[in-house]
Amino acid sequence: MTTSGAGSGRFGGLGRWWGVLAGGLLIAAWINRAAGPAVITGLSAVVLLWSFFQAPVTCGAPIRGRADGCRNNATGLLLGCHIRQHRWQKLKMLIVRRRVRAFCSGLFSDGKAALVTLAAVGSFLSGLVALVPGVAVQ
């Protein structure tokens, strides 16, 4: 019997969503106020790395015939799907000035991408606030 692989692995398909747990811990660290800036900065970096390189989103690389781009599953906002050329296209979108706008519009293309993008921006701002003393709201 062949399975889809969604339930395989040790965590039953939830292993790709460990960044959400780290985000929850980051929110709890801000609420608790007992955690120091090192803990908040570390959790912010973990959530940011998860968002960029491992969060499950759609590829969105530009392809002919589709205005919305590739719809394959991808890992992270910066990486493409299983097609090697799409990975290079996504990275090239950040470097080539004409393509940055297309990359930024793809960050909010669907619900998963919007959630991961907001997690990345929030964790970046969280780490920045934790590093700069006196900025955090008391």
Side-chain angles (χ1 to χ4, degrees), residues 43-104:
L43 285 172
S44 297
V46 165
V47 172
L48 192 64
L49 288 173
W50 174 78
S51 299
F52 284 160
F53 299 111
Q54 199 173 6
V57 293
T58 54
C59 179
I63 58 174
R64 283 181 264 158
R66 291 193 67 122
D68 58 347
C70 176
R71 301 305 295 169
N72 288 337
N73 292 331
T75 54
L77 294 172
L78 298 180
L79 300 177
C81 61
H82 66 280
I83 302 171
R84 185 172 19 145
Q85 185 179 3
H86 288 188
R87 291 181 185 169
W88 285 111
Q89 284 176 342
K90 293 275 293 212
L91 290 175
K92 193 179 353 176
M93 288 172 83
L94 287 174
I95 297 169
V96 177
R97 196 172 140 207
R98 296 182 319 239
R99 296 295 207 146
V100 173
R101 184 175 188 180
F103 177 79
C104 290

Side-chain angles (χ1 to χ4, degrees), residues 112-126:
K112 283 194 296 187
L115 180 69
V116 171
T117 302
L118 291 175
V121 169
S123 67
F124 176 75
L125 292 176
S126 170

